[in-house]
Amino acid sequence: MKLKIGEESLHGEKSAQHSHMIDVSGGLFGFPDIQEMELFYDQEELPFMWLREGGQEGLAFIVIEPGGIIPDYTVEISDNDVDYLKVSGADDTMILNIVTLPSEGNSKISVNLVGPVIVNRNTLVAKQCIINNHEKYSARHILDLADTGE
Amino acid sequence: MLILSRKIDQGIRIGDEIEISITKIEGDSVKIGISAPRSISILRREILEEMQSSNQAAAFAGKGQSAPLKSTLAAGSALKLIAQIRAKKAKVKPSSPKKQTISQTKND
């Protein structure tokens, strides 16, 4: 079944929590050893989701799907990454942008638009890709909807 | 690391398919031309470093398993954002005129 966030509950599932194992052996920058992570979300917490490793000491990221949140965001993936992910178009491609929460010296939530994690919705194989059109975007895009207007 | 001295318009060949040429030298900046197959990824090193540091800043260690996302986000006052995003998404009507046209053509 094709993974579509937020649509699963429409099919009569009782639980609001969903979990999918994602093959990330293609790599996350700075964390080359991670093989598999769980994409976990609670209906109530969308659009924010966890991309997390198993185990107590596991690594975790907060991610979002950019659709409807980041205006005019399009990604161009390199041929190499397309070959690796075996994606054929927008329909079987899921984009997950990693979110950074505020920390010292950083008061806003930011989103990495330069290196999204691209997931094949059918095979659940994923890879963090630096998009070809990365010059147009920021790796620390401030998530502030007040600015985006209508 | 192999270090070579090159002058302007000189080049370096790596393997059978990659060629690097020095096209312009100006002060402390060098313009470099690279010919390589499309399958080879060529990136400024800063971008890779930025991705690594960005991932490290975004990563939680051992937190995702226990902490509910909501409380983690609350620390970043993201709950308000969630509400804003929802309100915004609700306003955007699911528009799929393209798909409709396709299915109509198929039905015909």
Side-chain angles (χ1 to χ4, degrees):
Chain A
M1 199 190 90
K2 195 177 276 193
L3 171 56
K4 288 234 168 175
I5 301 301
E7 291 185 10
E8 287 147 309
S9 291
L10 301 176
H11 304 294
E13 282 182 49
K14 281 181 183 163
S15 167
Q17 298 189 335
H18 300 273
S19 163
H20 300 274
M21 291 315 291
I22 309 282
D23 172 351
V24 294
S25 54
L28 292 166
F29 296 108
F31 301 98
D33 300 329
I34 301 184
Q35 298 294 311
E36 200 176 48
M37 290 183 103
E38 174 192 27
L39 180 67
F40 173 89
Y41 70 93
D42 188 313
Q43 207 70 28
E44 284 188 19
E45 293 168 345
L46 286 176
F48 295 94
M49 298 176 268
W50 280 117
L51 185 62
R52 64 193 187 183
E53 232 185 339
Q56 282 299 307
E57 298 302 307
L59 199 72
F61 296 103
I62 296 173
V63 295
I64 57 164
E65 277 195 289
I69 299 173
I70 315 288
D72 302 323
Y73 181 56
T74 53
V75 304
E76 290 169 20
I77 318 172
S78 74
D79 293 1
N80 227 16
D81 290 336
V82 169
D83 286 350
Y84 176 83
L85 293 165
K86 299 190 173 63
V87 288
S88 54
D91 204 39
D92 58 10
T93 309
M94 175 160 65
I95 301 166
L96 297 175
N97 293 98
I98 296 179
V99 173
T100 304
L101 292 185
S103 58
E104 291 158 53
N106 240 336
S107 63
K108 300 221 163 154
I109 298 176
S110 72
V111 185
N112 179 352
L113 299 184
V114 170
V117 178
I118 312 284
V119 188
N120 181 322
R121 289 188 196 270
N122 297 310
T123 63
L124 300 188
V125 170
K127 182 176 191 282
Q128 189 176 19
C129 307
I130 294 177
I131 56 176
N132 281 353
N133 51 336
H134 65 81
E135 310 260 344
K136 285 164 68 180
Y137 301 108
S138 164
R140 290 166 221 282
H141 176 86
I142 302 297
L143 197 58
D144 186 356
L145 295 172
D147 284 351
T148 62
E150 287 304 320
Chain B
M1 189 193 288
L2 173 68
I3 295 173
L4 299 170
S5 259
R6 301 278 64 198
K7 291 180 174 160
I8 200 154
D9 292 335
Q10 292 186 329
I12 295 167
R13 184 96 183 202
I14 302 171
D16 290 334
E17 295 179 303
I18 301 171
E19 192 165 293
I20 294 170
S21 43
I22 308 302
T23 61
K24 199 175 182 184
I25 305 171
E26 225 172 48
D28 60 356
S29 134
V30 181
K31 272 217 166 75
I32 295 170
I34 304 163
S35 320
R38 280 179 66 95
S39 62
I40 295 205
S41 124
I42 299 167
L43 294 164
R44 289 184 176 88
R45 188 170 63 198
E46 304 92 90
I47 291 267
L48 282 170
E49 289 167 352
E50 190 179 18
M51 289 304 102
Q52 291 175 0
S53 64
S54 167
N55 278 357
Q56 266 146 19
F60 297 90
K63 202 172 175 183
Q65 278 54 253
S66 50
L69 188 47
K70 261 188 180 171
S71 67
T72 311
L73 287 168
S77 70
L79 288 174
K80 213 172 98 190
L81 265 177
I82 295 184
Q84 280 179 319
I85 288 166
R86 292 221 167 143
K88 203 177 161 161
K89 278 204 163 176
K91 273 184 205 164
V92 180
K93 285 186 182 166
S95 59
S96 52
K98 269 185 192 168
K99 276 183 187 166
Q100 279 170 10
T101 330
I102 289 164
S103 60
Q104 275 168 8
T105 342
K106 271 183 190 166
N107 290 341
D108 290 343

